[in-house]
Amino acid sequence: MKPQYFVAILFATSLYWMYMLYAPFLMGMIIAALLAISTSNIQNFFEKVLRSKFYAALISSFLLAVLFFVPLGYFLATLTIKLNSMDPIVFKNIEIFIKEFLQSPPEYLSFLKPYTESFMKDINVNSIASYILSFTGDIGSLSAGYLKNSFLVIVFYFFAQYNGGYVVDFLKRVVQMSVDETTLLARELSSVMSVVFYSIIANAMFQGILFGVAISFMGYNGLLFGIMYGFASLIPVVGGTLMWLPFALYEFSAGNSSNAIFIALYSIIVISVIADTFIKPLVIKEINLRLLKEDDAKMNELIIFFAIIAGLTTFGFWGMILGPAITAFFLTIVKLFEARTKECESKAEQS
């Protein structure tokens, strides 16, 4: 056996066992690496100010932890207090409203009445309360999983920021690509991920502020529900509905039909249609123009927009990072193939 074949077999075997060893943490490592690429400008800024890669990585990791944990911690603490102090009469009012609505639906929904009779028999306060308690338990389990994954991501993020430069230089030497090609690949991925990271934060904050301000005028905790809406806006298709629909039902059950109609129309028209559909691509475009330099690669804002949606649909919460990264990597590889094809054609013409 030739030595190179033996080395290749050893490499493949070690790669397989490395995958088996780190498979549970692979997603966290990938997300951390992409976040490190997205925030490389922040890391570079702290390195210039502090003149220390270690302290720069530590502060960057702390800021990321604050971004992940503080809003969720406030949300969980406040939500727990609200649920524990909620009056059972609220459940009774919701039950009465749903039954009255199903017994006497509007004329345009009268065709549903035959299908609601069996459903009405199962509606009672205990079923609603038990559902809410089980839903609260699901929120707790999901939050615990989110906290665990976020903690691992932050740990990996610190090492990615601290040792990222050495890893990138090593990959440039090992990968069978020219220096220009590896530089192009790294620059394209970094530029796109930076735009994605800041546009996601800006969009979530913008939609959360819009919802929180409207809710605060109705007497609710605007900060709490604004944070909740900001996180919910990351869920594709039904994200906003998970927030405004319970408010509308509660206001209807309390007899405040005008408030219920207002929050439903406001959430659908102002937030879901205007802010999310029309303003979000403009935000991505503005960040694309302001954040990147003239010689940086720029991806069309609509491609980034649809890549975020596709990533969220396919991979869940972290898909908002993975979707654009996969898209940017694919488009960069296509550009490299195009460049190599042109180079081969020019050599053929010269010969």
Side-chain angles (χ1 to χ4, degrees), residues 211 215 220 225 243-252 260 263:
F211 188 79
I215 285 294
Y220 296 100
F225 295 112
M243 288 302 304
W244 65 259
L245 184 59
F247 279 100
L249 290 175
Y250 177 76
E251 290 293 332
F252 266 124
I263 197 62

Side-chain angles (χ1 to χ4, degrees), residues 139-196:
I139 291 178
S141 61
L142 289 173
S143 300
Y146 171 81
L147 290 173
K148 183 195 74 173
N149 293 333
S150 298
F151 176 76
L152 291 175
V153 166
I154 290 169
V155 172
F156 295 141
Y157 173 83
F158 169 79
F159 288 105
Q161 290 285 35
Y162 185 58
N163 298 311
Y166 304 111
V167 175
V168 172
D169 292 338
F170 173 76
L171 290 177
K172 285 182 178 180
R173 294 194 303 268
V174 173
V175 175
Q176 299 299 314
M177 298 171 65
S178 66
V179 176
D180 293 337
E181 289 176 337
T182 54
T183 302
L184 174 64
L185 183 61
R187 190 173 62 185
E188 291 244 357
L189 191 59
S190 176
S191 60
V192 171
M193 293 312 302
S194 297
V195 172
V196 168

Side-chain angles (χ1 to χ4, degrees), residues 103-235:
Q103 287 174 350
S104 302
E107 293 184 0
Y108 57 87
L109 295 178
S110 59
F111 67 94
L112 295 176
K113 191 172 182 179
Y115 303 99
T116 59
E117 294 179 354
S118 60
F119 175 71
M120 289 175 57
K121 298 177 183 179
D122 300 328
I123 297 179
N124 55 68
V125 177
N126 294 329
S127 63
I128 295 176
S130 61
Y131 173 77
I132 292 177
L133 290 175
S134 64
F135 180 71
T136 305
D138 293 338
I139 291 178
S141 61
L142 289 173
S143 300
Y146 171 81
L147 290 173
K148 183 195 74 173
N149 293 333
S150 298
F151 176 76
L152 291 175
V153 166
I154 290 169
V155 172
F156 295 141
Y157 173 83
F158 169 79
F159 288 105
Q161 290 285 35
Y162 185 58
N163 298 311
Y166 304 111
V167 175
V168 172
D169 292 338
F170 173 76
L171 290 177
K172 285 182 178 180
R173 294 194 303 268
V174 173
V175 175
Q176 299 299 314
M177 298 171 65
S178 66
V179 176
D180 293 337
E181 289 176 337
T182 54
T183 302
L184 174 64
L185 183 61
R187 190 173 62 185
E188 291 244 357
L189 191 59
S190 176
S191 60
V192 171
M193 293 312 302
S194 297
V195 172
V196 168
F197 180 76
Y198 294 115
S199 61
I200 287 173
I201 294 177
N203 181 67
M205 291 179 61
F206 180 58
Q207 293 192 30
I209 290 172
L210 288 177
F211 188 79
V213 169
I215 285 294
S216 62
F217 282 111
M218 299 169 61
Y220 296 100
N221 188 332
L223 178 61
L224 170 65
F225 295 112
I227 291 173
M228 291 174 63
Y229 196 97
F231 276 101
S233 66
L234 302 175
I235 303 174

